[in-house]
Amino acid sequence: MSVDAIDVVRHPTARRVKLAFDPASGRVRLTIPKRASAKKALAWAAGYAEWIAAQRARLPQARPFEPGATIPFGDVTLTIIWREGSSRIVRREGDTLTLSGPHETIGRRVEAWLRREALRLLEADTAHYAAIAGVSVDKVTVGDARGRWGSCSNSGAIRYSWRLVLAPEPVRRATAAHEVAHRVHMDHSPAFHALVAKLYGSDPAPHRQWLRTNGASLHWYGRSSSTGAG
Ligand SMILES: [Zn+2]
């Protein structure tokens, strides 16, 4: 196991050395106390090489956005089709995502298209639930936070992961209902959960569970390697 495959993080309040594996990024994180020896900690982590290899073997596959690749998109599956031509525009035609232009920018352009669609759909979901709840939402934005599907600020801005557009539609909508309910309750109290269920119209728990079980795999779309970023 190479040392550069491990991110060493010195933590001011850590009491002991800790090893963690992030299935969303495929990276291993070694947390060490402020004054501990990094060299010793790495030697200790090397003893877990087998465990790390097993975690890596179970990782979802990197799914680069390239011609022929398929992308889950709500309740349908889109196939990327490249056609001869110079247009850089990405166009959805039924179950295909068609584009021309330079190969080097296919991944970037497909991701930009997905982000725009995510924003459009999540803005509509948010407006829908905000109207039922009788609350205002200042602004909806999308980002690419790992392990965080949505967040709601005190000022009423809601930020989602654009990757929710890769999840089944009920999962995306349940996340919007969850964040909108935070405009009323800034906690996860029983009253909050009752409001989410009321806004969503049925029990959203299975859809939140779907994200806990499958969410990490959504982070592997648009990536070209199994360990690095990109
Ligand atoms: Zn919450």
Side-chain angles (χ1 to χ4, degrees):
M1 181 180 58
S2 68
V3 166
D4 58 44
I6 297 183
D7 298 327
V8 179
V9 181
R10 219 171 257 285
H11 198 278
T13 59
R15 300 301 268 302
R16 55 191 186 83
V17 175
K18 204 178 99 189
L19 196 64
F21 184 78
D22 176 10
S25 66
R27 309 267 323 162
V28 177
R29 170 190 283 242
L30 181 66
T31 308
I32 59 176
K34 209 160 114 193
R35 272 184 266 278
S37 151
K39 206 173 149 196
K40 268 193 201 159
L42 278 166
W44 171 82
Y48 286 86
E50 253 179 59
W51 175 80
I52 292 167
Q55 300 295 312
R56 286 231 167 94
R58 280 171 37 201
L59 275 182
Q61 291 272 307
R63 306 286 204 99
F65 294 143
E66 58 193 13
T70 55
I71 310 168
F73 181 75
D75 295 338
V76 300
T77 301
L78 301 176
T79 303
I80 300 173
I81 307 281
W82 185 87
R83 288 207 189 108
E84 200 68 51
S86 57
S87 168
R88 285 157 198 261
I89 295 165
V90 179
R91 208 172 263 117
R92 179 179 171 190
E93 291 162 5
D95 290 347
T96 66
L97 216 49
T98 307
L99 75 173
S100 308
H103 271 266
E104 323 73 90
T105 61
I106 289 175
R108 225 181 304 151
R109 286 183 286 143
V110 168
E111 184 177 320
W113 184 87
L114 287 166
R115 279 178 182 258
R116 278 197 301 276
E117 286 295 301
L119 184 60
R120 182 178 69 81
L121 292 164
L122 285 159
E123 272 177 343
D125 295 336
T126 304
H128 172 76
Y129 294 120
I132 302 174
V135 296
S136 64
V137 174
D138 274 2
K139 201 177 178 199
V140 175
T141 52
V142 295
D144 196 9
R146 289 198 205 284
R148 203 151 193 215
W149 300 101
S151 58
C152 180
S153 76
N154 284 317
S155 63
I158 296 180
R159 188 166 179 79
Y160 297 102
S161 165
W162 71 263
R163 293 178 186 275
L164 282 168
V165 86
L166 306 173
E169 288 195 12
V171 173
R172 189 196 73 228
R173 288 200 306 268
T175 307
H178 181 107
E179 297 309 329
V180 168
H182 276 316
R183 291 291 292 126
V184 180
H185 303 283
M186 263 303 187
D187 53 30
H188 291 122
S189 60
F192 165 82
H193 287 296
L195 178 60
V196 179
K198 188 181 151 210
L199 295 179
Y200 185 65
S202 64
D203 182 12
H207 308 307
R208 302 292 288 177
Q209 184 58 46
W210 188 96
L211 276 180
R212 279 191 286 277
T213 309
N214 304 290
S217 69
L218 302 185
H219 285 280
W220 291 78
Y221 283 90
R223 271 169 133 190
S224 51
S225 76
S226 55
T227 52

